[in-house]
Amino acid sequence: MTDALKRLSEEGVAIWLDDLSRKRITSGNLAELIDQQHVVGVTTNPSIFQKAISHGDGYEQQLADLAARKVTVDEAIRMITTADVRDAADILRPVFDATEGQDGRVSIEVDPRLAHNTAATIAEAKQLAWLVDRPNTLIKIPATKAGLPAITEVIGKGISVNVTLIFSLERYREVMDAYLAGLEKAKAAGLDLSKIHSVASFFVSRVDSEIDKRLDALGTDEAKALKGKAALANARLAYEAYEEVFSSDRFAALDKAQANRQRPLWASTGVKDPAYKDTLYVVDLVAPGTVNTMPEATLDATADHGEITGNTIAGTYDQSRTEIAAVEKLGISYDDVVQVLEDEGVDKFEASWNDLLKSTEAELQRLAPSEG
């Protein structure tokens, strides 16, 4: 069952799980995935927590205790989510130690309502790092315009970061620039750069979903022939940018001070269109120094029938540029697509967070002890 996942790991792809719940922690499932499925990290987001807390079990006692203390709903959510991340980080600690901090990581996101507020994002990142209090945590900061200076500031303070919601190649380059600027600040402050890690979460399947929708609207044979190609092309060109930036003179100076590369992380790798193979965004994005964070269904599909044939990114850059250009030639604006996706991404996480606030508040009211 795990040969494909083992092969994927051997190709230099770190396998992370894009899911977390208290049941997954307490049942031993997470430990089992680490032991048997080569999982070496975990990512969370507001939607994952909303689903876990609203529909999962294992939270009743903590919610009752929080209700008894009459905490605010915002504080309750932070207490619950950071407890899960802390416990997951402890389970992954042996991986963290074995990989000298590269893997064994658990990500937790700043409040999505702060996505366009730089100062609040910085403050929240510092608070989350303090609250979880585990060296193998990554604080997730969205790659909005307001997020970029926050990334630099937080990295500059020695806090490891997972930059999320990256869709465009231009924004990805800005993210890498923000990371390097943060490392330069950390170096100037005398911090140990070898302890600072980062991944850049480049979203994949949503690009196909948006572009395919527009290709379907055109309805021509030429348009149909381009379906399912843009997301891979976009991600592969992101890897080209990564290779370029981290072989630059600017990074070489940081490399001498033991700085780590910011690895590209393929996010949103569950296939949305059932017409595509369910391992598409795994087997066709294999390259050294990458992370692929998968929902469990994608992890299982890869373990069961994923065909790992070596590096599937090398040598694809010209073809990838051709495919993106062909989509643009049909009148579909790449810049418009990626902006729509970024806006939608922020909105979806904020909506999930608001749903989580409502459902948690209802639970706190239900469990509140009667007066007297």
Side-chain angles (χ1 to χ4, degrees):
M1 269 288 280
T2 58
D3 282 355
L5 296 174
K6 182 172 185 281
R7 182 81 204 280
L8 191 61
S9 300
E10 288 168 351
E11 288 293 336
V13 179
I15 299 166
W16 291 8
L17 177 71
D18 193 28
D19 191 52
L20 188 63
S21 66
R22 190 154 297 176
K23 188 176 181 184
R24 199 181 277 288
I25 292 165
T26 57
S27 68
N29 172 263
L30 178 58
E32 190 177 285
L33 291 173
I34 295 162
D35 186 49
Q36 298 176 17
Q37 300 282 62
H38 302 277
V39 168
V40 293
V42 168
T43 47
T44 69
N45 62 45
S47 300
I48 283 169
F49 277 128
Q50 191 268 332
K51 183 180 164 194
I53 297 166
S54 302
H55 306 110
D57 52 25
Y59 297 99
E60 187 95 355
Q61 185 57 58
Q62 189 178 12
L63 279 163
D65 290 346
L66 291 165
R69 288 172 51 214
K70 297 182 180 177
V71 304
T72 65
V73 65
D74 284 273
E75 187 185 349
I77 288 169
R78 273 306 176 217
M79 291 296 106
I80 291 166
T81 57
T82 53
D84 280 358
V85 168
R86 193 179 305 114
D87 288 344
D90 288 344
I91 294 167
L92 277 154
R93 183 61 189 261
V95 177
F96 174 80
D97 292 338
T99 60
E100 297 183 329
Q102 180 160 265
D103 289 308
R105 296 270 175 181
V106 187
S107 299
I108 184 168
E109 191 143 350
V110 297
D111 186 328
R113 295 171 296 178
L114 308 178
H116 302 296
N117 184 327
T118 303
T121 294
I122 294 165
E124 171 95 342
K126 283 158 46 181
Q127 169 73 4
L128 281 174
W130 174 82
L131 203 53
V132 176
D133 193 26
R134 294 294 183 272
N136 51 331
T137 312
L138 290 171
I139 307 302
K140 284 179 92 170
I141 296 175
T144 55
K145 278 291 184 189
L148 295 170
I151 293 158
T152 296
E153 193 65 28
V154 172
I155 290 288
K157 292 184 184 303
I159 297 169
S160 294
V161 171
N162 175 345
V163 183
T164 188
L165 291 175
I166 309 170
F167 297 94
S168 80
L169 296 168
E170 181 186 1
R171 184 56 54 83
Y172 179 42
R173 285 184 178 275
E174 291 174 338
V175 165
M176 289 188 284
D177 181 69
Y179 173 63
L180 295 182
L183 288 177
E184 286 157 356
K185 282 188 88 156
K187 186 182 174 189
L191 299 182
D192 180 354
L193 300 194
S194 71
K195 297 282 194 285
I196 304 170
H197 287 259
S198 183
V199 293
S201 296
F202 199 88
F203 278 54
V204 187
S205 68
R206 293 188 197 181
V207 174
D208 271 343
S209 297
E210 183 63 28
I211 288 180
D212 284 359
K213 183 171 72 179
R214 299 182 189 205
L215 290 168
D216 281 336
L218 292 173
T220 63
D221 288 343
E222 192 183 4
K224 286 175 190 167
L226 288 170
K227 284 185 67 177
K229 293 186 175 177
L232 288 175
N234 197 40
R236 286 165 169 173
L237 292 173
Y239 191 79
E240 180 186 38
Y242 158 77
E243 288 184 309
E244 186 186 303
V245 168
F246 287 98
S247 60
S248 67
D249 291 342
R250 184 182 182 191
F251 181 70
L254 293 161
D255 192 36
K256 282 178 186 164
Q258 268 79 51
N260 297 292
R261 293 178 172 214
Q262 181 187 54
R263 289 182 293 170
L265 178 151
W266 310 130
S268 179
T269 56
V271 171
K272 306 284 194 287
D273 188 332
Y276 302 153
K277 65 183 178 186
D278 52 5
T279 59
L280 179 67
Y281 305 123
V282 178
V283 300
D284 288 333
L285 288 175
V286 177
T290 59
V291 179
N292 195 308
T293 188
M294 310 177 205
E296 193 167 18
T298 305
L299 182 75
D300 290 342
T302 304
D304 183 60
H305 53 264
E307 294 179 19
I308 309 304
T309 57
N311 190 324
T312 47
I313 292 182
T316 63
Y317 302 145
D318 288 345
Q319 179 65 26
S320 296
R321 270 186 280 277
T322 300
E323 284 164 354
I324 297 287
V327 168
E328 288 230 289
K329 198 176 168 191
L330 293 179
I332 296 170
S333 164
Y334 174 85
D335 289 342
D336 181 64
V337 165
V338 293
Q339 190 58 56
V340 163
L341 288 170
E342 181 185 308
D343 293 343
E344 274 183 5
V346 172
D347 289 346
K348 280 177 184 172
F349 281 170
E350 190 169 334
S352 293
W353 197 254
N354 286 330
D355 287 345
L356 179 54
L357 285 168
K358 284 179 201 154
S359 58
T360 303
E361 188 157 38
E363 282 296 285
L364 290 171
Q365 287 172 357
R366 181 179 73 80
L367 295 164
S370 55
E371 298 293 328

